[in-house]
Amino acid sequence: MSQNKKMVEAITPINEDFTQWYTDICLKAELVDYSTVKGCMILRPYGYAIWENIMHLLDKRFKETGHENVAMPMFIPESLLQKEKDHVEGFAPEVAWVTMGGSEPLEDRLCVRPTSETLFCDHFAHVLHSYRELPMKYNQWCSVVRWEKTTRPFLRTREFWWQEGHTIHETAEEAIAETEMMLNIYADFCEHQLNIPVIRGKKTDKEKFAGAEATYTIEAMMHDGKALQSGTSHYFGDGFSRAFGVQFSGRDNTLQYPFQTSWGVTTRLIGAIIMTHGDDEGLILPPAIAPYQVVIVPVAAHKPGVLEKAEELRARLSKFVRVKLDDSENSPGWKFAQWEMKGVPLRLEIGPKDIEKDQCVLVRRDNREKTFVSLNDLETAIPELLDTLAAAIFARAQENRENRTWACTTMDEILEHANGENGYIKTMWCGELACEEAMKEKAGLSSRCMPFAQESLSDVCPICGKPAKKMVIWGKAY
Amino acid sequence: MSQNKKMVEAITPINEDFTQWYTDICLKAELVDYSTVKGCMILRPYGYAIWENIMHLLDKRFKETGHENVAMPMFIPESLLQKEKDHVEGFAPEVAWVTMGGSEPLEDRLCVRPTSETLFCDHFAHVLHSYRELPMKYNQWCSVVRWEKTTRPFLRTREFWWQEGHTIHETAEEAIAETEMMLNIYADFCEHQLNIPVIRGKKTDKEKFAGAEATYTIEAMMHDGKALQSGTSHYFGDGFSRAFGVQFSGRDNTLQYPFQTSWGVTTRLIGAIIMTHGDDEGLILPPAIAPYQVVIVPVAAHKPGVLEKAEELRARLSKFVRVKLDDSENSPGWKFAQWEMKGVPLRLEIGPKDIEKDQCVLVRRDNREKTFVSLNDLETAIPELLDTLAAAIFARAQENRENRTWACTTMDEILEHANGENGYIKTMWCGELACEEAMKEKAGLSSRCMPFAQESLSDVCPICGKPAKKMVIWGKAY
């Protein structure tokens, strides 16, 4: 028990220092290690297993909607990056430059891809000929590099892992439909598989992706009320196609430019999981992506028959859940603390008395609720409890968001909330960059998005008093 | 039919110009595209789907043998690379150097990883404490960069995709057993899933990996008699552990250095598949990794009921094979040629007359053998035919290897064969570097390996006449 206590004490309480609590979890749940390469992280087996589950579930959704995976080079020649003006301005200041190959200086230096629109366009220009080949719907899983100054595991690192979808279409309508479909896939994935409620909306021009006509986003709220942009989907019109000379011969035999999209989510989603669901005991993992959904902890494991029964249950449960039997020599108390830290959704305890009664104890990670379950009922009880837990952590996150969302119609109201607890501030907006900049300057808030679900809070922009065009959600963001 | 013919004519015959034939297949089967980044390739959907299948099958084998996936940074600080002397000498001349982050020059320049021993050692030094944590058996799937001068798709590119396993163990015996186990997994995978016969053996000191105590290899022979190193597994002893200060407290409470391995296979395996199995019509894919194992081509698709039947079969077959229905508007002849080019193992033809008789035609890609099969029997006939094809292409490759392997006991014999057709030359060897270099100089041959299955061809080294220590296989290699 002393070991158990020690382990729990080692985490900073969530409401005492959220930043330190977050770092503690990243390290103590063995998700990441810092590396010698400044600003880069190492994904350890438990962290990578979460990412593998995320990749697996999303990849299935991408393929079901007709996307194919490809692999592009990790380098972009400087001359290629410069072809689209807004894009190069957005990314050039934050890329890593390869200037030497072996001992030879390169003529055209190469940046390590921060994103791959330019490479995909270059490829599309090679392989596209006719409208019959459209749409081309590609995706790649890889890592990209952005030379950030301040870094934190999962949230902002110089290298991070992601997927980037890149598609081209015959018409603008189809490309816009694709952009929206992918945003909806992200939102559905976040809500139903990561159990994180998100707001779907459009970014303001100031916040949109470098080179995009429109950027759609899903915004999540973390436990501390800060916002986390969790996935984006961009519509490019035919801007990149024109810049890169991507053309096809159309139904009417004229040469045309295709319309383009890109969309991505990153390992940042793991940061969102930690900061949405975690508590003082550590991580709480959504069942859909938990490396282990159930951990079996034998109690009084030295007593005859206990380990055998535990192993029998492990083999049986492995047919329908991801299960781990902890048969190490640590005490049950230590194991409880360790697997709570690692966020395993359900703990199954089994000891001599349980075996006598042909039952076991199931303990939910989120609220520690214990249920005695007949061993005959595990095939129904475990999936039910996992579903219940998933719904409960979603509801808890939603409640947190509702409690921390304030509709404001005057600057005074805005400032009052901006100076208080973190959260979302909803206001009307005139659409002018000046007002967006004023919000940053006066209230320290950035626009998260113009939600698809618009409301009418008042007729005027509370910043300038001019007629309002859109409702915007503002917040402090990671 | 003219389109069909045109497509076939566009490939260089395999025995006319093997190099051009290879390039033609890479492009016309739509496996790769050249990229603007010199020496780097793009894996197109069909090529990447093959790699996905390879990854999936190998990853399963790695996990079944207790390995866990992780992700390391793609950069290695120069100071870290320099810690192991042989390693840095082997790799430094062929790495890409990042010297700028944004607009700032870096103090310690970073190389893009050519391989990650140094990063793993650095991480092991952080996380390893006790013998109880051993073995640590890690793997990562990623791309690496080596600044090659001459490049060819899959065989040698500046960036390539691979997996690299890195493990540390309490004892040398365990590490050696791991090295051997992984080589055997590679060999078994090549032989049973890629249907490529391989020779298992140990590299000479000259050919071993920079920094390794021993390198084990699997060597395949291509259609043209040249050798392709297809996978390697390295034993490091405790050399890297000592260089990087990786230590653990042992069973006797003393600080000890763990023993280490690494092992990898790359997208080069796709090159091996092409050059082992392909023919004048294009690719022939091993069923285990073919993106589509069966392609359904409707004949007289405009006749009532044909497309419906084809779709019904597709749905049925998709339950037990990877199947594609080609319902495009191209002619059957064009489709036949296209899917032969892409190497789909089985073609299923179905037309009005077949439907009347409740049958279809199955055509094997390797020998074009046609079988009329009752529609009731597809669930057994298709898996059987796929197995038969897999065995047949393996046997054909094995026969090619046997026909092109010559045991030589004199330098005259060696030179006679070295100047004739490509193939493996088996000789005894004294073990001296000088003789290995003489073989290169005089006969243009490099040592492929000292096979585990040793034979005694004579008592002396045919190069120097001194007593022989080992039998070596020599060849010209990709």
Side-chain angles (χ1 to χ4, degrees), chain B residues 48-67:
Chain B
Y48 196 79
I50 295 172
W51 182 236
E52 274 185 319
N53 288 336
I54 290 174
M55 287 197 283
H56 180 75
L57 292 169
L58 281 175
D59 198 68
K60 193 161 168 282
R61 287 173 181 252
F62 298 161
K63 284 179 176 150
E64 281 166 359
T65 46
H67 301 91

Side-chain angles (χ1 to χ4, degrees), chain B residues 117-348:
Chain B
E117 278 74 11
T118 53
L119 293 164
F120 275 88
C121 280
D122 195 42
H123 177 56
F124 288 141
H126 282 188
V127 295
L128 177 63
H129 306 98
S130 153
Y131 72 90
R132 286 187 197 85
E133 295 153 343
L134 292 174
M136 287 186 177
K137 297 173 42 157
Y138 291 167
N139 177 63
Q140 75 173 346
W141 292 97
C142 61
S143 70
V144 291
V145 170
R146 298 179 188 175
W147 217 250
E148 306 282 358
K149 295 241 158 66
T150 324
T151 58
R152 293 184 62 195
F154 298 118
L155 302 180
R156 199 174 295 278
T157 47
R158 286 186 171 174
E159 179 184 13
F160 56 91
W161 291 266
W162 79 344
Q163 59 67 219
E164 46 179 324
H166 295 268
T167 70
I168 46 174
H169 304 262
E170 193 179 349
T171 66
E173 293 67 34
E174 279 177 52
I176 291 168
E178 166 84 10
T179 316
E180 289 170 355
M181 178 179 77
M182 296 321 295
L183 193 83
N184 286 330
I185 283 177
Y186 287 156
D188 192 79
F189 173 72
C190 282
E191 301 208 322
H192 292 100
Q193 296 183 295
L194 305 186
N195 313 130
I196 298 174
V198 293
I199 291 175
R200 307 171 199 207
K202 192 177 168 180
K203 287 280 180 191
T204 61
D205 280 349
K206 178 172 184 290
E207 298 289 336
K208 76 182 185 189
F209 182 83
E213 276 200 16
T215 290
Y216 302 141
T217 180
I218 49 171
E219 299 284 327
M221 184 189 282
M222 305 295 97
H223 175 82
D224 66 347
K226 281 203 196 168
L228 190 77
Q229 177 182 305
S230 303
T232 47
S233 185
H234 315 292
Y235 170 63
F236 290 110
D238 60 5
F240 273 83
S241 291
R242 286 178 186 273
F244 285 81
V246 184
Q247 287 186 304
F248 64 96
S249 93
R251 287 170 199 272
D252 60 0
N253 271 322
T254 63
L255 272 183
Q256 298 171 24
Y257 294 101
F259 296 83
Q260 194 175 347
T261 84
S262 80
W263 29 274
V265 294
T266 79
T267 35
R268 171 172 254 218
L269 286 176
I270 300 176
I273 292 167
I274 299 170
M275 294 196 296
T276 302
H277 300 309
D279 67 13
D280 279 341
E281 273 65 57
L283 206 52
I284 297 179
L285 289 179
I289 55 82
Y292 305 118
Q293 297 166 308
V294 179
V295 60
I296 300 176
V297 178
V299 177
H302 57 284
K303 294 269 174 81
V306 172
L307 270 181
E308 291 75 3
K309 193 67 182 177
E311 168 52 30
E312 181 196 318
L313 287 175
R314 191 206 56 75
R316 196 175 126 199
L317 266 55
S318 69
K319 298 194 177 105
F320 63 96
V321 281
R322 294 187 289 272
V323 57
K324 164 88 182 173
L325 165 61
D326 186 348
D327 56 2
S328 68
E329 286 176 7
N330 298 313
S331 71
W334 196 91
K335 292 178 186 177
F336 293 174
Q338 185 190 29
W339 295 109
E340 285 182 358
M341 174 71 78
K342 292 200 156 201
V344 178
L346 287 182
R347 178 170 79 231
L348 188 159

Side-chain angles (χ1 to χ4, degrees), chain A residues 33 36 52 69 95 99 102 122, chain B residues 36 52 69 95 99 102 122-123:
Chain A
D33 185 25
T36 300
E52 274 185 318
N69 284 332
V95 297
T99 59
D122 195 44
Chain B
T36 300
E52 274 185 319
N69 284 333
V95 296
T99 59
D122 195 42
H123 177 56

Side-chain angles (χ1 to χ4, degrees), chain A residues 240-474:
Chain A
F240 273 84
S241 292
R242 287 178 185 273
F244 285 82
V246 184
Q247 286 187 304
F248 64 96
S249 95
R251 288 170 199 272
D252 60 359
N253 272 323
T254 61
L255 273 183
Q256 297 171 23
Y257 295 101
F259 296 83
Q260 193 175 350
T261 84
S262 79
W263 29 275
V265 294
T266 80
T267 34
R268 171 172 254 219
L269 285 176
I270 300 176
I273 291 167
I274 300 170
M275 293 196 296
T276 303
H277 300 310
D279 67 13
D280 280 340
E281 272 65 57
L283 207 51
I284 297 178
L285 289 178
I289 55 82
Y292 305 119
Q293 296 165 309
V294 178
V295 60
I296 300 176
V297 178
V299 176
H302 58 286
K303 294 270 174 81
V306 173
L307 271 180
E308 291 76 2
K309 193 69 184 178
E311 169 51 31
E312 182 196 316
L313 287 175
R314 190 205 57 76
R316 197 176 127 199
L317 265 55
S318 70
K319 298 194 177 107
F320 63 96
V321 281
R322 294 188 289 273
V323 57
K324 163 90 182 170
L325 165 60
D326 186 349
D327 55 3
S328 68
E329 288 177 6
N330 298 314
S331 70
W334 195 92
K335 292 178 187 177
F336 293 174
Q338 185 191 29
W339 295 110
E340 284 182 359
M341 174 72 78
K342 291 200 157 201
V344 178
L346 285 184
R347 179 169 79 229
L348 188 158
E349 303 171 14
I350 183 123
K353 281 181 195 160
D354 301 308
I355 295 172
E356 252 171 51
K357 295 184 195 163
D358 215 28
Q359 69 176 25
C360 67
V361 185
L362 290 175
V363 187
R364 268 171 61 176
R365 170 63 183 87
D366 60 328
N367 62 3
R368 288 221 174 83
E369 198 175 277
K370 288 189 178 201
T371 322
F372 289 88
V373 179
S374 158
L375 294 185
N376 292 324
D377 296 342
L378 292 175
E379 274 75 6
T380 49
I382 288 176
E384 271 175 26
L385 273 172
L386 290 173
D387 285 349
T388 308
L389 179 144
I393 62 175
F394 180 82
R396 205 181 52 153
Q398 204 163 27
E399 197 191 336
N400 183 52
R401 188 179 74 187
E402 277 162 21
N403 290 341
R404 288 172 176 272
T405 301
W406 304 284
C408 299
T409 52
T410 66
M411 204 63 206
D412 283 348
E413 278 182 300
I414 293 170
L415 290 174
E416 188 194 321
H417 285 295
N419 294 326
E421 276 188 276
N422 290 328
Y424 286 157
I425 291 177
K426 295 198 286 195
T427 78
M428 301 312 289
W429 177 50
C430 61
E432 292 297 321
L433 178 61
C435 287
E436 202 174 346
E437 285 172 341
M439 276 293 265
K440 184 83 200 170
E441 220 170 281
K442 292 182 185 162
L445 301 173
S446 64
S447 75
R448 306 315 313 144
C449 69
M450 301 174 281
F452 292 156
Q454 285 280 309
E455 300 165 49
S456 178
L457 308 175
S458 78
D459 295 332
V460 295
C461 172
I463 306 143
C464 66
K466 283 185 203 150
K469 285 191 180 148
K470 283 279 180 188
M471 181 185 77
V472 168
I473 289 200
W474 312 83

Side-chain angles (χ1 to χ4, degrees), chain B residues 432-444:
Chain B
E432 293 297 320
L433 178 61
C435 287
E436 203 175 344
E437 284 172 342
M439 277 293 266
K440 185 81 201 172
E441 219 169 282
K442 292 181 185 163

Side-chain angles (χ1 to χ4, degrees), chain A residues 53-84:
Chain A
N53 288 336
I54 290 173
M55 287 197 283
H56 180 75
L57 292 169
L58 281 174
D59 198 69
K60 192 162 169 281
R61 287 173 182 251
F62 298 160
K63 284 180 176 150
E64 282 167 358
T65 46
H67 301 91
E68 299 178 295
N69 284 332
V70 298
M72 288 282 155
M74 67 158 77
F75 300 121
I76 307 172
E78 187 165 20
S79 53
L80 195 67
L81 190 69
Q82 285 171 339
K83 282 196 175 181
E84 213 286 338

